[in-house]
C-alpha cells in the first residue's frame, strides 16, 4: 500500500512538471480598451503597462491591467518603477482583483518593437514568471482601420541560446535557429461576460455602417507609406553596417590564418635544421605569439533583429499598398458606373 501511494505521488509530481505549451491569450474586452486608450492618449510617445491575470493550462487569461507612469529623466527609474508596481498590486489585492503578473503591454510606432531591450525585458520577467507575454499595440496602424494588436513571447530555443550568450554562426547552425525563430506570436481571443455582451448588443446602432467603415475608404496612404519606407531604409543601412562587421571579421580571420601558416612553415624549417644539428625541436605553437590569439566572432543577434524588423516593414508596406490598390479599383469602378 505504501509503495502504491509513493508511486502515485511520483506520477503526480512528474505530471505537474510537464509544462503545457501556451496556445491562446484570452483578454477581456475592457483590458483591450484600457490598453488602447493609454497608448493612444500618449501617442507618439511610447508607453508601457502591467498585465494581470491567470495562467490556466494552455490559456493565459488577462483580466486586468494598469499603466506605468511616464518618468522624467532625473528620476530613479528602477526603484520608483518597482515601488509603483508593488503598491498597485497591493491595492488591487485589497479589493479582491486578480493581481498575478502575466506580462506587460507596450505601444510601438509602425511595428518597430523588435529590439534588444524587448528581449532583455522578456528575460527579466522569465526569472520570476514561468510564462509571460507582451501585448504590442500600434496606434499609428490602428488609425488606418486595423486593430494592430498582437501577443508575443520568446521561443524556448532562442531563450536557451540567449542565456549562453553565444550567437556565433556555428552555434546558430547547431541549434538550427534563424531570424524567424526569435519571437512567437500567440493568437488572441477576446472574452466578455454575458452581461457585457448583452449590454453591447443594446448599444449597437441600427445603421450597419459606422465611421470606422468610412475610414477604411480613405484613399490617402502616402504618409503611412513614406514613414514605412523611411524606417525600412534606416534598417537597410543598419543591416549593411552589420554585414561590414562580419566582412572585416572574415578578412581578419583569413589574414591571421595566413600568418599562422607562414609562421608554422618557418618553424618547421627551423626544426629540420635543429634536428640535423642534433638539437631538440621547438614547439610548433607559441601561445604568447599574437597571431595565435583567437579573434572573437561578432554576435549575430543584432543582424537577426534587424532582419526581423525589415520583414515586418515589408509586410506592412505590402498590406498598405494592397489595400490602396483595392480602394483605387473600387473608386475607378464607381466613376465608370456614374
Amino acid at each position: 500500500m505504501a509503495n502504491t501511494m509513493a508511486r502515485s505521488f511520483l506520477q503526480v509530481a512528474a505530471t505537474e512538471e510537464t509544462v503545457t505549451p501556451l496556445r491562446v491569450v484570452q483578454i477581456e474586452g475592457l483590458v483591450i480598451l484600457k490598453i488602447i486608450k493609454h497608448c493612444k492618449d500618449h501617442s507618439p510617445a511610447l508607453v508601457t503597462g502591467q498585465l494581470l491575470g491567470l495562467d490556466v493550462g494552455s490559456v493565459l487569461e488577462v483580466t486586468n491591467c494598469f499603466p506605468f507612469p511616464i518618468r522624467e529623466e532625473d528620476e530613479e527609474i528602477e526603484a520608483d518603477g518597482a515601488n509603483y508596481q508593488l503598491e498597485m498590486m497591493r491595492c488591487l489585492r485589497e479589493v479582491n482583483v486578480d493581481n498575478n503578473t502575466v506580462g506587460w503591454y507596450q505601444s510601438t510606432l509602425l511595428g518597430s518593437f523588435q529590439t534588444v531591450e524587448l528581449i532583455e525585458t522578456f528575460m527579466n520577467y522569465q526569472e520570476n514568471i514561468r510564462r509571460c507575454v507582451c501585448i504590442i499595440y500600434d496606434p499609428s496602424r490602428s488609425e488606418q482601420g486595423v486593430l494592430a494588436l498582437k501577443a508575443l513571447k520568446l521561443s524556448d530555443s532562442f531563450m536557451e541560446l540567449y542565456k549562453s550568450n553565444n550567437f556565433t554562426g556555428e552555434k546558430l547552425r547547431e541549434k538550427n535557429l534563424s531570424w524567424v525563430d526569435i519571437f512567437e506570436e500567440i493568437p488572441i481571443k477576446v472574452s466578455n461576460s454575458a452581461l457585457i455582451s448583452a449590454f453591447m448588443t443594446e448599444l449597437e446602432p441600427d445603421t450597419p455602417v459606422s465611421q470606422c467603415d468610412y475610414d477604411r475608404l480613405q484613399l490617402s496612404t502616402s504618409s503611412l507609406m513614406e514613414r514605412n519606407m523611411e524606417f525600412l531604409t534606416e534598417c537597410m543601412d543598419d543591416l549593411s553596417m552589420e554585414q561590414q562587421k562580419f566582412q572585416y571579421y572574415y578578412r581578419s580571420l583569413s589574414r591571421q590564418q595566413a600568418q599562422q601558416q607562414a609562421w608554422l612553415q618557418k618553424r618547421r624549417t627551423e626544426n629540420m635544421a635543429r634536428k640535423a644539428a642534433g638539437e631538440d625541436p621547438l614547439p610548433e605553437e607559441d601561445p604568447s605569439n599574437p597571431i595565435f590569439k583567437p579573434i572573437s566572432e561578432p554576435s549575430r543577434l543584432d543582424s537577426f533583429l534587424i532582419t526581423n524588423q525589415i520583414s515586418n516593414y515589408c509586410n506592412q508596406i505590402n498590406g498598405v499598398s494592397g489595400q490602396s490598390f483595392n480602394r483605387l479599383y473600387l473608386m475607378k469602378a464607381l466613376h465608370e458606373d456614374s
Side-chain angles (χ1 to χ4, degrees), residues 269-281:
T269 304
E270 184 179 355
N271 284 338
M272 290 176 62
R274 292 176 63 90
K275 187 176 181 180
E279 299 178 358
D280 295 333

Side-chain angles (χ1 to χ4, degrees), residues 204-211 213-214:
E204 186 176 355
D206 297 332
T207 173
V209 181
S210 62
Q211 182 62 35
D213 296 324
Y214 289 117

Side-chain angles (χ1 to χ4, degrees), residues 256 259-260 263 267 285-294:
Q256 185 189 54
Q259 292 175 353
Q260 290 176 357
W263 188 89
R267 176 56 61 90
E285 291 187 3
D286 186 6
S288 61
N289 196 325
I291 64 174
F292 288 99
K293 183 179 180 181

Side-chain angles (χ1 to χ4, degrees), residues 8 17 27 100 253:
S8 300
E17 290 179 358
I27 311 178
N100 300 316
L253 187 62

Side-chain angles (χ1 to χ4, degrees), residues 16-33:
E16 291 179 351
E17 290 179 358
T18 303
V19 179
T20 306
L22 183 60
R23 302 296 185 187
V24 179
V25 176
Q26 181 175 303
I27 311 178
E28 292 191 2
L30 181 59
V31 176
I32 294 181
L33 293 178

Side-chain angles (χ1 to χ4, degrees), residues 3 23 29 85 93 108 113 139 145 190 204 234 244 250 252 310 326 333 338:
N3 293 334
R23 302 296 185 187
Q85 294 181 43
R93 184 169 59 252
T108 184
F113 58 86
V190 181
E204 186 176 355
E234 293 178 0
Q244 290 177 8
Y250 285 116
S252 301
I310 289 174
N326 291 336
S338 61

Side-chain angles (χ1 to χ4, degrees), residues 182-303:
I182 299 178
F183 297 101
E184 293 181 5
E185 185 172 354
I186 310 299
I188 294 178
K189 178 182 178 181
V190 181
S191 173
N192 289 314
S193 64
L195 183 60
I196 294 179
S197 299
F199 180 68
M200 294 298 294
T201 304
E202 291 292 331
L203 293 179
E204 186 176 355
D206 297 332
T207 173
V209 181
S210 62
Q211 182 62 35
C212 184
D213 296 324
Y214 289 117
D215 293 340
R216 295 193 183 98
L217 297 178
Q218 291 183 1
L219 300 179
S220 176
T221 58
S222 59
S223 60
L224 186 63
M225 184 73 71
E226 288 175 2
R227 294 167 70 185
N228 271 290
M229 291 297 296
E230 289 175 0
F231 289 164
L232 179 60
T233 303
E234 293 178 0
C235 283
M236 293 300 296
D237 293 338
D238 295 338
L239 184 61
S240 177
M241 294 178 62
E242 290 294 323
Q243 290 177 345
Q244 290 177 8
K245 292 180 182 179
F246 288 105
Q247 292 174 359
Y248 176 77
Y249 163 73
Y250 285 116
R251 285 197 302 267
S252 301
L253 187 62
S254 299
R255 185 167 54 251
Q256 185 189 54
Q257 290 176 351
Q259 292 175 353
Q260 290 176 357
Q261 291 297 327
W263 188 89
L264 287 174
Q265 186 65 29
K266 180 180 178 181
R267 176 56 61 90
R268 287 167 183 169
T269 304
E270 184 179 355
N271 284 338
M272 290 176 62
R274 292 176 63 90
K275 187 176 181 180
E279 299 178 358
D280 295 333
L282 298 174
E284 292 189 354
E285 291 187 3
D286 186 6
S288 61
N289 196 325
I291 64 174
F292 288 99
K293 183 179 180 181
I295 302 176
S296 59
E297 181 179 350
S299 174
R300 297 179 183 266
L301 177 59
D302 291 336
S303 61

Side-chain angles (χ1 to χ4, degrees), residues 30 39 51 78 100 104 116 125 131 140 152 270 286 290-291:
L30 181 59
C39 298
L51 298 177
E78 295 184 0
N100 300 316
W104 79 100
V116 178
Y125 271 84
R131 294 195 301 188
S140 58
L152 298 176
E270 184 179 355
D286 186 6
I291 64 174

